[in-house]
Amino acid sequence: MLKLIALYPQPTDIQQFEKDYAAHLRLLHEQTGIPADAKPYTVTKFLPSPTGLAPFYQMFSMPIASPEALQALLASDGMKIVGADAHRISTGGAPMIMVGNAE
């Protein structure tokens, strides 16, 4: 099992990011065919530490069944639209996209 991870830097305007991110998740569902009532992913908001804010505000993580499924997802027109939107809403810098093995 793989995990597709997107890390979003601290936004310049948190309220605007939250509004844009809610619309971004709706776009993800629409473009990938994920049913509106399903949530096959997790969203984690990072808390400040004693040394200050974390470099990232939020993490999106979604399990992917196989390398082939990941390639198909990333090559799809819908995911290209979602990826472009992720860059648009990430006002604190480009989101970091990573893939990892889930154990």
Side-chain angles (χ1 to χ4, degrees):
M1 175 85 49
L2 300 175
K3 282 210 176 182
L4 175 63
I5 299 166
L7 292 166
Y8 292 89
Q10 293 289 334
T12 57
D13 181 335
I14 290 174
Q15 289 180 341
Q16 185 64 49
F17 177 82
E18 291 295 336
K19 179 181 170 186
D20 290 343
Y21 194 75
H24 177 71
L25 287 180
R26 287 190 299 277
L27 181 68
L28 171 72
H29 283 258
E30 292 166 6
Q31 292 296 321
T32 61
I34 298 171
D37 60 346
K39 190 177 171 191
Y41 51 81
T42 59
V43 175
T44 303
K45 290 190 187 327
F46 297 108
L47 301 173
S49 72
T51 59
L53 291 177
F56 295 100
Y57 175 71
Q58 181 171 286
M59 177 178 70
F60 168 92
S61 178
M62 184 166 70
I64 308 290
S66 68
E68 296 79 17
L70 175 65
Q71 291 293 34
L73 177 66
L74 295 178
S76 71
D77 290 339
M79 201 58 174
K80 289 176 186 173
I81 292 168
V82 171
D85 193 58
H87 281 269
R88 179 191 67 78
I89 69 170
S90 189
T91 58
M96 183 178 290
I97 308 300
M98 300 185 300
V99 175
N101 284 318
E103 296 183 13

